[in-house]
């Protein structure tokens, strides 16, 4: 997304902690209520073991390769769609993976292009390109019906993916879904920037 695009899309400020991209969206407690009882804090060595596990890559012609982790299991599968500049190693992504393991469901977590372990340049990313990332994961990695779990900006992309792939998406779970905030920022852009507005949000 163009520089102004990222600023216009959301007022989110990333910070770094323990080598992860951490984004603050305020105080939210919906995940444990929606999925399962909040697990106890994992020991420090467990997180270290997770980070050392191998990462797979989805190769795409003319598009950046996407880093992902896939857990085999029963249907429906679950795909976690992270928030702005969040990675597949975030707290919510790992908590949902543990939940899927406990029930034996298939699960996919991934990094958007330009973020985390995926290829690409963040400065060249747009919401439209990240939408293509989500659709690539659904089309190329997911098997059978899927439940999409979208966090913050991922909630906006989750809705777009559900519209584009109604035959594969059977349910949606939004965590602090940032749809209203994104649309508000979009509508506040000057009218004379209409071409830029289209590029920021829909450019492939």
């Amino acid at each position: 997304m163009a520089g102004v695009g990222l600023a216009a899309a959301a007022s989110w400020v990333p910070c770094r902690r323990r080598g992860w991209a951490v984004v603050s969206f305020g105080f939210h407690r919906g995940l444990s209520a929606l999925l399962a009882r909040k697990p106890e804090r994992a020991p420090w060595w467990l997180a270290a073991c997770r980070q050392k596990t191998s990462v797979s890559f989805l190769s795409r012609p003319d598009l950046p390769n996407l880093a992902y982790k896939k857990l085999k299991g029963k249907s429906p599968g679950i795909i976690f769609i992270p928030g702005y500049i969040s990675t597949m190693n975030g707290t919510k992504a790992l908590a949902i993976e543990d939940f899927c393991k406990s029930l034996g469901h298939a699960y996919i977590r991934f990094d958007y292009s330009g973020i985390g372990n995926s290829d690409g340049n963040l400065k060249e990313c747009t919401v439209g390109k990240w939408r293509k990332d989500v659709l690539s994961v659904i089309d190329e990695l997911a098997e059978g019906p899927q439940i999409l779990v979208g966090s913050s900006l991922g909630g906006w992309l989750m809705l777009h993916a559900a519209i584009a792939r109604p035959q594969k998406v059977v349910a949606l779970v939004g965590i602090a879904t940032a749809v209203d905030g994104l649309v508000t920022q979009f509508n506040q852009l000057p009218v004379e920037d209409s071409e830029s507005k289209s590029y920021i949000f829909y450019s492939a």
Side-chain angles (χ1 to χ4, degrees):
M1 190 183 301
V4 66
L6 292 178
S11 58
W12 305 311
V13 181
C15 62
R16 293 280 177 182
R17 187 174 69 178
R18 297 184 184 177
W20 302 342
V22 180
V23 182
S24 175
F25 289 99
F27 184 68
H28 304 294
R29 298 183 295 177
L31 179 60
S32 59
L34 289 169
L35 295 180
R37 180 179 176 183
K38 184 177 180 180
E40 296 181 0
R41 182 181 296 275
W44 65 269
W45 50 263
L46 180 58
C49 291
R50 284 184 182 278
Q51 293 179 7
K52 290 180 181 178
T53 57
S54 61
V55 176
S56 300
F57 289 88
L58 173 61
S59 298
R60 304 182 297 171
D62 303 321
L63 291 173
N65 296 331
L66 296 181
Y68 71 93
K69 292 285 293 182
K70 183 176 181 179
L71 177 68
K72 293 184 178 181
K74 63 185 178 182
S75 184
I78 297 174
I79 300 175
F80 179 71
I81 307 175
Y84 176 68
I85 307 190
S86 292
T87 73
M88 63 177 170
N89 291 319
T91 304
K92 291 186 285 292
L94 297 180
I96 297 173
E97 180 176 85
D98 289 339
F99 180 70
C100 290
K101 284 181 179 179
S102 70
L103 297 179
H105 279 273
Y107 177 63
I108 299 173
R109 53 187 169 98
F110 69 98
D111 288 337
Y112 297 121
S113 54
I115 296 176
N117 291 311
S118 290
D119 295 339
N121 185 347
L122 178 60
K123 293 181 180 180
E124 298 175 355
C125 292
T126 66
V127 174
K129 289 181 179 179
W130 287 337
R131 173 182 176 274
K132 280 192 172 183
D133 292 348
V134 177
L135 294 179
S136 292
V137 170
I138 294 175
D139 294 340
E140 305 297 330
L141 300 178
E143 301 175 6
Q146 299 294 310
I147 298 173
L148 304 185
V149 180
S151 174
S152 194
L153 178 63
W156 172 257
L157 297 172
M158 168 187 74
L159 296 174
H160 277 274
I163 293 172
R165 299 292 186 271
Q167 71 280 10
K168 295 201 69 172
V169 178
V170 296
L172 303 174
V173 178
I175 304 173
T177 305
V179 175
D180 53 348
L182 191 64
V183 172
T184 298
Q185 293 290 337
F186 179 88
N187 291 332
Q188 287 178 350
L189 291 175
V191 175
E192 57 269 22
D193 291 339
S194 58
E195 291 185 3
S196 297
K197 288 168 68 173
S198 297
Y199 174 81
I200 289 169
F201 289 92
Y202 303 112
S203 173

